């Protein structure tokens, strides 16, 4: 591990569901391999849940555990609007402006290659890469670049967005957050490109060091069909077998 490498602050929103703990567990197993990483995990809840608290305590990761309720007041487009904003605000309030650090938004249901974090750590101001299985196509984002600049973008959904990229497809150096203290998320369908625009990031000046590899995928785990309702008394039966000696 190089002592002078920048730290990565990974911001994740999470909410209670059957798949929450399995997906957080899978994600944490990836993050355990990433040096100089701090996880900011924000729950969509009125209070920190025991499930996530115990999970983080046993995770072996450096973390900050936050909570706030989404959809208060109601949002029209972005379901995890408040939790993302809270993670962003935590960085502004707790990370020194001069610190060499990168902010990256990590969805708890995505799949990440170790190599992606090398790309993230190379970010000088704002960097972009492809995301797989998103926007109705196999991969979205920059597909041709030269000398660190994007020459060609690939997108199916709303290709004329300011920067046609998924939330998993970019990272920002924290110094930008302090240079543009009013930059924020807004409840818009193109929240990602609007946020980057508020940081004065454009298609022309965003960094692109790898336009060939897909290193993050917007995977979707199938929600299991659970019989009955866990809030009600359990309806299933257990069976026991006597051991013979």
């Amino acid at each position: 591990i190089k002592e002078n490498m920048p730290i990565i602050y990974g911001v994740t929103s999470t909410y209670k569901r059957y798949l929450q703990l399995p997906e957080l567990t899978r994600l944490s197993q990836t993050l355990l391999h990433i040096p100089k990483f701090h996880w900011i995990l924000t729950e969509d809840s009125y209070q920190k849940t025991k499930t996530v608290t115990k999970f983080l305590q046993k995770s072996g990761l450096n973390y900050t555990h936050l909570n706030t309720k989404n959809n208060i007041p109601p949002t029209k487009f972005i379901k995890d609007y408040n939790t993302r904003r809270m993670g962003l605000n935590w960085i502004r309030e707790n990370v020194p402006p001069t610190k060499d650090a990168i902010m990256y938004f990590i969805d708890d249901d995505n799949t990440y290659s170790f190599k992606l974090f090398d790309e993230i750590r190379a970010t000088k101001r704002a960097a972009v890469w492809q995301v797989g299985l998103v926007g109705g196509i196999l991969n979205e984002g920059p597909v041709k670049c030269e000398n660190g600049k994007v020459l060609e973008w690939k997108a199916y959904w709303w290709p004329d967005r300011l920067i046609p990229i998924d939330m998993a497809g970019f990272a920002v150096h924290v110094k930008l957050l302090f240079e543009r203290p009013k930059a924020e998320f807004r409840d818009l369908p193109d929240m990602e490109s609007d946020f980057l625009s508020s940081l004065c990031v454009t298609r022309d000046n965003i960094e692109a060091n790898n336009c060939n590899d897909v290193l993050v995928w917007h995977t979707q785990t199938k929600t299991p069909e659970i019989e009955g309702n866990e809030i009600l008394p359990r309806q299933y039966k257990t069976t026991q077998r006597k051991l013979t000696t």
Side-chain angles (χ1 to χ4, degrees), residues 62-236:
N62 294 318
Y63 68 86
T64 295
H65 186 188
L66 306 172
N67 71 285
T68 188
K69 200 74 187 77
N70 283 317
N71 209 36
I72 298 177
T75 52
K76 185 176 181 180
F77 299 105
I78 311 303
K79 64 180 180 180
D80 53 359
Y81 177 71
N82 291 339
T83 47
R84 290 192 187 276
R85 283 171 59 102
M86 174 166 277
L88 176 63
N89 290 336
W90 185 92
I91 290 176
R92 279 197 169 113
E93 294 169 3
N94 293 275
V95 178
T98 57
K99 192 175 184 67
D100 190 10
I102 317 296
M103 177 186 68
Y104 179 58
F105 288 94
I106 301 175
D107 287 352
D108 62 2
D109 58 351
N110 282 357
T111 301
Y112 300 87
S113 166
F114 296 157
K115 293 181 180 180
L116 173 69
F117 295 88
D118 294 331
E119 299 290 335
I120 294 171
R121 221 180 293 273
T123 302
K124 302 303 180 185
R125 292 183 67 82
V128 68
W129 41 79
Q130 295 185 58
V131 178
L133 308 178
V134 69
I137 51 179
L138 288 177
N139 56 298
E140 179 187 74
V143 291
K144 185 178 180 181
C145 51
E146 185 176 298
N147 298 324
K149 302 295 182 182
V150 181
L151 300 181
E152 184 178 339
W153 298 81
K154 178 182 176 183
Y156 175 74
W157 179 76
W158 198 355
D160 293 330
R161 283 172 286 163
L162 294 174
I163 301 178
I165 195 65
D166 181 73
M167 187 66 72
F170 70 89
V172 173
H173 198 285
V174 297
K175 62 188 174 186
L176 273 185
L177 303 181
F178 296 101
E179 289 177 10
R180 303 289 174 178
K182 294 184 179 180
E184 264 293 0
F185 288 115
R186 296 193 296 171
D187 182 29
L188 297 171
D190 61 335
M191 177 177 66
E192 297 91 342
S193 58
D194 180 74
F195 173 64
L196 288 170
S197 178
S198 71
L199 292 169
C200 292
V201 177
T202 68
R203 291 194 188 200
D204 293 329
N205 64 21
I206 198 164
E207 304 155 32
N209 298 313
N210 186 344
C211 291
N212 298 317
D213 301 320
V214 177
L215 301 174
V216 53
W217 296 264
H218 189 66
T219 45
Q220 295 178 325
T221 307
K222 181 181 178 182
T223 302
E225 296 181 5
I226 305 297
E227 295 293 337
N229 190 323
E230 290 203 347
I231 298 177
L232 301 176
R234 299 176 184 270
Q235 302 297 319
Y236 58 80

Side-chain angles (χ1 to χ4, degrees), residues 5-107:
M5 68 167 53
I7 185 172
I8 296 174
Y9 287 93
V11 181
T12 299
S13 300
T14 188
Y15 64 97
K16 184 178 180 180
R17 61 196 189 279
Y18 290 134
L19 292 170
Q20 182 184 38
L21 190 55
E23 292 191 318
L24 286 176
T25 299
R26 179 180 62 177
L27 176 57
S28 70
Q29 300 307 297
T30 297
L31 300 180
L32 277 169
H33 293 272
I34 309 305
K36 296 194 71 171
F37 179 87
H38 188 100
W39 199 10
I40 303 169
L41 187 62
T42 306
E43 286 194 77
D44 176 11
S45 60
Y46 289 106
Q47 58 187 12
K48 297 173 184 177
T49 64
K50 291 182 179 179
T51 298
V52 175
T53 298
K54 290 181 179 179
F55 161 77
L56 286 171
Q57 289 171 347
K58 296 178 180 179
S59 69
L61 290 161
N62 294 318
Y63 68 86
T64 295
H65 186 188
L66 306 172
N67 71 285
T68 188
K69 200 74 187 77
N70 283 317
N71 209 36
I72 298 177
T75 52
K76 185 176 181 180
F77 299 105
I78 311 303
K79 64 180 180 180
D80 53 359
Y81 177 71
N82 291 339
T83 47
R84 290 192 187 276
R85 283 171 59 102
M86 174 166 277
L88 176 63
N89 290 336
W90 185 92
I91 290 176
R92 279 197 169 113
E93 294 169 3
N94 293 275
V95 178
T98 57
K99 192 175 184 67
D100 190 10
I102 317 296
M103 177 186 68
Y104 179 58
F105 288 94
I106 301 175
D107 287 352

